[in-house]
Amino acid sequence: MSLPLEVDVTLPDGTKVQQPTGLFINNEFVKSKSGATLDSINPSTGEVNSAVYAAEEEDIDIAVAAARKSFKSWKKSTGVDRGNLLFKFADLLEKNKDLLAALEAWDSGKAKYTNAIFDVEEAIRVFRYYAGWADKIQGKLIQNDPKKLAYTIHEPIGVCGQIIPWNYPILMAVWKIAPAVAAGNTLVLKTSEITPLSLLHLGKLWVEAGFPAGVLNIVTGYGAVAGNALASHLDVDKIAFTGSTATGRLIQKAASSNLKAVTLECGGKSPLIVMPDADIEQAVKWAAIGIMTNQGQVCTSTSRIYAHEDIYDDFVKKFADHVLAEYKQGNVFGQDSVVGPQISKVHHDKIMSYIDIGKKEGAKVVIGGEKNEEGDLKNGYFIKPTIFSDCKPDMRIINEEIFGPVVAVSKFKTDEEVLEWANQTDYGLGASIFTKDIVRAHQFAADLEAGMVWINSSNDSDLHVPFGGVKMSGFGRELGEYGLTMYTQAKAVHVNMGTIL
Amino acid sequence: MLRSATASRNLFTTGVSKRIAPAVLRFYSSLPLSVPVTLPNGTTYEQPTGLFINNEFVLPKQKKTFEVVSPSTEEEITHVYEAREEDIDVAVDAASKAFASEWSTSDPLVRARALIKLADLVEANAETLAYIESLDNGKSLQCSRGDVALTAAYFRSCAGWSDKITGSLPETGSSHFNYTRREPIGVCGQVIPWNFPLLMAAWKIGPVLATGCTTILKTAESTPLSALYLATLIKESGVPAGVVNIVSGFGKIAGEAIATHQKIKKVAFTGSTATGRHIMRAAANSNLKKVTLELGGKSPNIVFNDADVKRTVQNLVLGILYNTGEVCCAGSRIYIQEGIYDEVLAEFKAAAENVKIGNPFDEDVFMGAQASYAQLSKILKYIEIGKNEGATLVTGGARHGEKGFFVKPTIFADVKEDMQIVKEEIFGPVVTISKFSTVDEVIDLANDSEYGLAAGVHTENINTAIEVSNRLQAGTVWVNTYNDFHPMVPFGGYGQSGIGREMGAEALDNYLQVKAVRVGLQKAT
């Protein structure tokens, strides 16, 4: 018997849920053509949450065809109509907020009350924000030549492929869906094979909101199969990817098949600099948010901390005390749990190997540095929040992205030195500086090689403000008005009024 | 627009009412703050009568009321309380307090949420609002329903603006860091007319809420009801107390108090050019408050030989008979090119005579009553002037029926450009038609007006459309359409038709002021 398109599941908090398992294509859940499925694993227990259908090449073809067909009419819809649907969808998300947070906690190991719920709330805000943009997309009139009426139309790009990661399944999808749909594109979105469940529920709500069939298609599948099919597809006009730099490189190569537009939001090794004049208490708290939030599985994690020698010892001690006190590990459905399990066994093992590397390289373990074996946690992929101190610029834990609750702290003496270290990696996603000095703050903001700089905070992202990287952290920006421009292209129209040949 | 009590007083002198003298009514003081009103569809709703200040309906200090008359029946609907100078002071205090609260500085999503809710509430109460509007203003239910839909759409569009207000960052080299902030102006005074009581309130309140300003909005004395009903929805939508205050009153008293108030930082007015001039002077004499004005018009509607006749005639009808011609941008001067003149005139006459006029609540009626007796009298006076000036009356030219302020669609042809009916705004279903031969000629004729609100161009030729649109002196040009509004398209006037723009991104500029911050980034040497 093949997998039904909906299965009954019971969440750890007792909630009974009908979990869709199909590929969401043309506003319906369908089986994959080959019948292929994959299992979504609970990172808190290592057990299977549910099987879902996995898209393969021919399923991607079907989804792309649905999006293409839908684009013909969707591109002619008014911004007001698109905005109204997006507003309605936001209302539905709000109604289902608790369920979505629970699913996210269950399937991706995010503590429900201190993490997952905020993702869903942010997703709602993102939809409302771009709902407001839908009727405000404007071309320009270029008033140069009196013999010419020249104007631009900001058109949707067309069928967009979107590949999202497992660290923020709902939120990363929403960052991509909302602007693309507001601008009039149609989408095939591939979720991560590790965290497919919550987004399939979004498909249900999408239909309920009243979107026409084919505007948004959601498929689960493996990157090497479904992701590759999407990125190389000849009828896909744009590909947007969030994930590792290594995969980003593959996506860009695959996209060259038909020169599709590419935006990439990839890895990072973001520095956080603490100047001697900084408010140390605040620096400690933000630094902890910057690396321990979401188990450190954040592309913008400030995973390298540079503290000035005058305050170094004080900072390291306070930082360790604060993390031990505030970043508790536990059942993701517990009210006061903060740090959940890592997303998968593979990822857990990768982080543990970096912890070994750090130890061997001579960094000092201040706290953590091991798997959490307490009680039930030993069944899941829990790693204790880990702080390394006395790190050196050439260590691998300084230069490579670990993507876990592991931070490398170093001591610096001069502004020049720390700026050089901060900019030494191939990445350029985020950067933080803590100082009260207005001149130094703005000068560092200008000189740091990063797509985002936080002055006296960390990972303080905001849906109104563009998000994205320089160097090998990616290309393009999400969120804000900039995020919208990634999903429109300007067509120039010249009306000849008087140039007679 | 800001006439005093003459509108209702005239009623009594003409003997159409059986009621007692208005002077006594104005001192009526035991009116409840809410009265049940039964609409022609049989439903009854609660009509607030007080001044809406600090999210409550309150009595004015002097407890005076004035009557509200239904223009289609000439019967009294209710009385409402009148705001006077001392009440405006109370409202300004409330608005000042609200502006100093978190309202103007909190997350803009708070304002967006309120605006979305308000749009939803307007839609949920759409039929009630439409009936109130038709009852109070006399316009047909068709027109009222359109106004309500535009009101909800505009609030929703403004919701999207509230978190999209951005400054800029001029780059001037590494020695400095510069940025600009666009900050709300503060307490605003807004005075709106009687032709679109609900929609004009929305055009004013929408950007106030989006930008984080606060306001005292005065409705027109002849049409206070729908805005008071809207006030209940504003409160329900979660807008904090004091942010929006809505008062009924007369221009010479409450309007004057707003325009001259020392604590009001900005005044926005929609109404006649004469009153607009007065408001600007009052603003200058008091505290140089910022002024935006949306005033009168005498908008040309131009038909070229190659126009599609059927569509053009629809737009000519819509241009002058929509909202019984009580539209500031009404296409009241029609210019038809000679090759198509006879055909368009004949078709237009037939179409105008075919328009259903009468009881605004009949589903198939397009033209309801004029908004007041004063307006009826003014229109009839201009019709007489037109006849005396020697224009040819093609159709209409008289009141429709005995009861209610109805006027027949009226077309004057063979007009001269210096006639009063060509130069002056009539604000009714009265249109003049002239013949022209060349583009240059019609541009001169069209632009020969102190006004510059709107214009229409009807042609199938892309070059004619663009060239004529470029050369017209008007804030809005409609090509092959007319009286066609959208929340994202700015509206406002050239010349003596006004200052500033409503709707679109431009509307926000009326309620924001720019602060430039320049930070030196050099250490002492």
Side-chain angles (χ1 to χ4, degrees):
Chain A
M1 197 187 83
S2 69
L3 178 68
L5 284 169
E6 204 160 73
V7 295
D8 292 325
V9 296
T10 305
L11 304 188
D13 62 359
T15 313
K16 293 196 186 313
V17 184
Q18 287 184 309
Q19 174 63 46
T21 62
L23 311 177
F24 181 71
I25 297 174
N26 250 332
N27 276 5
E28 286 174 359
F29 289 96
V30 297
K31 298 179 177 179
S32 56
K33 282 288 161 191
S34 72
T37 62
L38 56 82
D39 288 338
S40 187
I41 308 288
N42 182 344
S44 298
T45 62
E47 292 163 2
V48 175
N49 278 344
S50 175
V52 295
Y53 281 96
E56 295 177 333
E57 211 165 310
E58 55 185 330
D59 304 302
I60 297 295
D61 286 343
I62 294 168
V64 170
R68 175 60 61 194
K69 184 161 175 251
S70 175
F71 182 64
K72 286 190 175 67
S73 49
W74 184 245
K75 71 177 174 188
K76 297 202 185 285
S77 62
T78 66
V80 172
D81 288 344
R82 294 195 299 274
N84 286 344
L85 285 167
L86 289 166
F87 275 127
K88 191 150 177 227
F89 186 66
D91 290 346
L92 289 172
L93 286 184
E94 196 156 48
K95 244 189 232 171
N96 290 275
K97 191 167 84 176
D98 193 70
L99 170 68
L100 292 168
L103 282 164
E104 204 73 328
W106 186 51
D107 202 35
S108 58
K110 287 166 179 275
K112 184 182 168 192
Y113 298 103
T114 58
N115 184 355
I117 195 82
F118 301 131
D119 286 7
V120 182
E121 285 174 355
E122 184 73 353
I124 295 163
R125 284 193 287 268
V126 170
F127 268 109
R128 292 218 169 99
Y129 174 73
Y130 283 109
W133 268 124
D135 67 341
K136 296 174 183 66
I137 296 167
Q138 315 195 36
K140 286 183 181 166
L141 192 90
I142 295 113
Q143 297 181 184
N144 181 39
D145 182 348
K147 288 183 191 158
K148 181 181 271 195
L149 182 85
Y151 62 95
T152 57
I153 307 172
H154 288 198
E155 294 183 337
I157 292 174
V159 175
C160 301
Q162 303 181 321
I163 300 176
I164 59 158
W166 43 256
N167 58 339
Y168 289 90
I170 289 179
L171 195 55
M172 287 304 102
V174 167
W175 282 16
K176 293 199 175 12
I177 296 169
V181 168
N185 298 277
T186 59
L187 318 177
V188 177
L189 179 131
K190 188 193 90 63
T191 61
S192 165
E193 69 274 14
I194 301 173
T195 55
L197 301 188
S198 58
L199 280 166
L200 292 174
H201 281 270
L202 249 58
K204 274 185 166 177
L205 302 179
W206 192 259
V207 178
E208 194 180 337
F211 283 96
V215 169
L216 169 64
N217 305 280
I218 302 173
V219 299
T220 304
Y222 293 103
V225 182
N228 183 53
L230 197 54
S232 55
H233 204 288
L234 293 177
D235 203 28
V236 170
D237 302 305
K238 184 219 159 96
I239 188 92
F241 168 76
T242 298
S244 73
T245 294
T247 309
R249 203 193 297 268
L250 291 175
I251 297 271
Q252 195 164 32
K253 259 183 223 157
S256 68
S257 63
N258 62 339
L259 285 181
K260 48 176 77 65
V262 180
T263 49
L264 301 172
E265 205 270 90
C266 298
K269 193 75 188 178
S270 303
L272 182 150
I273 301 167
V274 187
M275 290 293 175
D277 68 335
D279 179 331
I280 299 296
E281 311 295 328
Q282 284 299 306
V284 159
K285 288 179 182 172
W286 283 106
I289 287 175
I291 186 63
M292 299 307 166
T293 297
N294 208 47
Q295 300 74 253
Q297 297 167 162
V298 184
C299 47
T300 48
S301 277
T302 35
S303 49
R304 292 184 286 150
I305 295 177
Y306 297 98
H308 190 268
E309 59 182 0
D310 292 354
I311 47 92
Y312 181 84
D313 293 337
D314 186 31
F315 173 84
V316 171
K317 182 175 185 315
K318 284 179 173 156
F319 183 41
D321 290 348
H322 176 72
V323 170
L324 284 175
E326 301 292 333
Y327 288 80
K328 299 205 186 320
Q329 281 192 303
N331 184 330
V332 292
F333 284 86
Q335 289 284 351
D336 54 357
S337 299
V338 179
V339 183
Q342 307 308 134
I343 194 67
S344 68
K345 176 83 171 58
V346 171
H347 191 59
H348 165 273
D349 293 350
K350 178 187 152 189
I351 296 167
M352 288 309 299
S353 82
Y354 268 113
I355 289 175
D356 279 345
I357 290 168
K359 289 173 182 169
K360 284 181 189 140
E361 286 179 319
K364 185 181 155 201
V365 176
V366 183
I367 58 169
E370 58 189 6
K371 183 173 165 55
N372 194 329
E373 304 273 8
E374 289 164 29
D376 288 344
L377 301 188
K378 67 176 176 298
N379 300 324
Y381 312 131
F382 291 86
I383 293 175
K384 288 183 180 171
T386 299
I387 299 174
F388 280 113
S389 67
D390 301 347
C391 298
K392 298 284 173 277
D394 57 351
M395 287 181 177
R396 283 181 66 191
I397 58 166
I398 281 287
N399 291 292
E400 297 174 23
E401 184 176 37
I402 300 173
F403 218 66
V406 180
V407 63
V409 187
S410 314
K411 187 189 289 184
F412 76 93
K413 286 193 176 74
T414 67
D415 286 9
E416 293 71 25
E417 177 182 59
V418 76
L419 183 64
E420 191 187 324
W421 288 345
N423 288 340
Q424 78 174 17
T425 72
D426 291 335
Y427 296 111
L429 199 49
S432 284
I433 177 165
F434 284 81
T435 176
K436 289 178 190 143
D437 181 330
I438 187 171
V439 172
R440 194 183 251 158
H442 290 302
Q443 277 174 348
F444 266 82
D447 292 339
L448 283 164
E449 294 171 0
M452 292 159 277
V453 176
W454 296 286
I455 298 174
N456 295 326
S457 69
S458 173
N459 278 271
D460 189 15
S461 298
D462 179 316
L463 65 94
H464 306 93
V465 183
F467 182 103
V470 301
K471 294 157 78 178
M472 288 183 69
S473 287
F475 178 78
R477 294 292 177 268
E478 303 196 84
L479 301 179
E481 188 176 3
Y482 296 85
L484 193 67
T485 64
M486 298 292 142
Y487 288 96
T488 62
Q489 50 194 352
K491 174 188 281 174
V493 181
H494 304 248
V495 183
N496 180 6
M497 296 283 297
T499 305
I500 309 296
L501 301 181
Chain B
M1 307 291 152
L2 281 179
R3 288 296 136 63
S4 65
T6 48
S8 45
R9 286 208 182 103
N10 276 340
L11 271 178
F12 302 102
T13 57
T14 55
V16 292
S17 169
K18 297 180 282 293
R19 292 180 303 277
I20 46 170
V24 176
L25 294 171
R26 296 276 307 277
F27 288 90
Y28 186 84
S29 64
S30 60
L31 180 71
L33 282 169
S34 173
V35 295
V37 172
T38 302
L39 297 168
N41 64 358
T43 63
T44 300
Y45 78 100
E46 283 297 321
Q47 173 65 51
T49 61
L51 312 180
F52 184 71
I53 297 174
N54 251 332
N55 273 4
E56 302 296 337
F57 288 98
V58 297
L59 296 173
K61 290 266 158 49
Q62 295 192 27
K63 299 193 181 68
K64 291 185 180 179
T65 68
F66 61 91
E67 67 168 357
V68 184
V69 170
S70 177
S72 59
T73 61
E74 303 185 30
E75 282 164 15
E76 178 188 302
I77 305 166
T78 179
H79 282 238
V80 294
Y81 280 103
E82 179 200 347
R84 301 180 69 90
E85 200 174 340
E86 60 274 18
D87 305 306
I88 299 298
D89 286 341
V90 175
V92 170
D93 282 347
S96 301
K97 226 171 129 194
F99 185 70
S101 76
E102 284 176 8
W103 170 250
S104 55
T105 53
S106 62
D107 187 335
L109 280 170
V110 173
R111 308 199 297 268
R113 287 308 300 273
L115 276 158
I116 293 169
K117 185 90 191 287
L118 183 54
D120 291 345
L121 287 170
V122 167
E123 274 169 358
N125 290 274
E127 275 300 275
T128 304
L129 281 165
Y131 269 85
I132 294 172
E133 203 73 331
S134 289
L135 188 67
D136 194 13
N137 165 278
K139 65 173 72 187
S140 67
L141 210 43
Q142 283 183 23
C143 285
S144 294
R145 285 180 180 140
D147 293 357
V148 175
L150 280 170
T151 295
Y154 188 56
F155 283 141
R156 200 167 278 127
S157 189
C158 282
W161 276 127
S162 36
D163 61 357
K164 296 171 186 69
I165 294 165
T166 52
S168 65
L169 210 108
E171 295 281 359
T172 63
S174 61
S175 63
H176 289 80
F177 167 59
N178 312 278
Y179 59 95
T180 65
R181 285 168 53 80
R182 290 165 78 214
E183 298 181 341
I185 290 178
V187 178
C188 304
Q190 303 179 311
V191 179
I192 61 165
W194 43 257
N195 57 339
F196 292 92
L198 180 68
L199 186 59
M200 291 302 104
W203 285 12
K204 297 275 183 286
I205 292 169
V208 158
L209 294 179
T211 55
C213 290
T214 60
T215 186
I216 299 96
L217 177 132
K218 188 195 87 64
T219 54
E221 63 271 20
S222 55
T223 54
L225 301 187
S226 57
L228 291 174
Y229 191 82
L230 180 69
T232 63
L233 305 182
I234 289 171
K235 182 178 181 181
E236 195 181 339
S237 71
V239 173
V243 170
V244 176
N245 304 279
I246 298 177
V247 298
S248 315
F250 296 88
K252 286 189 174 157
I253 300 162
E256 185 73 12
I258 287 172
T260 56
H261 206 287
Q262 292 292 339
K263 288 186 181 167
I264 291 179
K265 307 292 187 199
K266 182 236 157 67
V267 64
F269 168 75
T270 298
S272 74
T273 294
T275 309
R277 197 185 307 274
H278 179 80
I279 296 250
M280 198 160 171
R281 207 179 287 132
N285 285 342
S286 53
N287 61 344
L288 280 178
K289 52 178 71 67
K290 318 275 183 238
V291 180
T292 50
L293 304 170
E294 203 270 271
L295 307 173
K298 192 74 184 177
S299 300
N301 208 352
I302 305 168
V303 185
F304 288 94
N305 282 338
D306 66 340
D308 177 303
V309 172
K310 195 173 168 202
R311 187 178 61 203
T312 299
V313 167
Q314 285 170 357
N315 283 316
L316 297 182
V317 168
L318 201 64
I320 192 64
L321 301 184
Y322 168 65
N323 211 53
T324 62
E326 292 171 350
V327 185
C328 44
C329 50
S332 51
R333 290 186 289 149
I334 294 175
Y335 295 95
I336 307 176
Q337 204 164 15
E338 53 196 3
I340 201 173
Y341 182 88
D342 292 339
E343 186 188 357
V344 171
L345 180 56
E347 295 279 329
F348 178 48
K349 174 178 186 286
E353 287 170 350
N354 217 16
V355 166
K356 188 90 193 289
I357 178 169
N359 182 355
F361 298 99
D362 284 351
E363 292 287 341
D364 58 346
V365 159
F366 181 68
M367 274 180 72
Q370 308 306 136
S372 66
Y373 182 79
Q375 193 54 27
L376 172 74
S377 310
K378 181 184 159 191
I379 296 165
L380 294 176
K381 183 194 83 184
Y382 269 111
I383 289 174
E384 287 314 305
I385 290 171
K387 290 174 185 168
N388 293 337
E389 286 180 315
T392 304
L393 183 65
V394 177
T395 187
R399 195 172 167 177
H400 169 91
E402 292 296 307
K403 199 173 180 209
F405 311 136
F406 298 94
V407 178
K408 289 179 178 164
T410 299
I411 303 173
F412 281 112
D414 306 322
V415 295
K416 304 262 184 309
E417 288 304 309
D418 57 356
M419 286 181 179
Q420 259 184 285
I421 56 167
V422 175
K423 286 278 161 260
E424 296 173 18
E425 182 176 39
I426 300 173
F427 221 66
V430 181
V431 69
T432 65
I433 299 190
S434 314
K435 194 187 288 185
F436 73 93
S437 48
T438 68
V439 168
D440 287 345
E441 180 192 354
V442 78
I443 294 284
D444 285 347
L445 294 171
N447 288 342
D448 182 20
S449 168
E450 68 185 53
Y451 296 112
L453 195 50
V457 179
H458 304 277
T459 176
E460 296 296 296
N461 183 296
I462 187 170
N463 279 14
T464 307
I466 296 168
E467 186 197 339
V468 173
S469 299
N470 284 350
R471 292 172 67 187
L472 284 166
Q473 297 291 317
T476 294
V477 179
W478 282 297
V479 178
N480 296 335
T481 184
Y482 207 91
N483 275 333
D484 190 349
F485 301 95
H486 190 283
M488 275 306 295
V489 183
F491 179 80
Y494 276 35
Q496 296 198 33
S497 287
I499 299 171
R501 293 292 177 273
E502 303 198 86
M503 299 201 291
E506 289 79 358
L508 305 174
D509 297 337
N510 300 346
Y511 294 89
L512 296 167
Q513 49 195 352
V514 174
K515 175 184 284 173
V517 181
R518 182 155 162 87
V519 182
L521 291 185
Q522 283 163 318
K523 297 277 186 197
T525 49

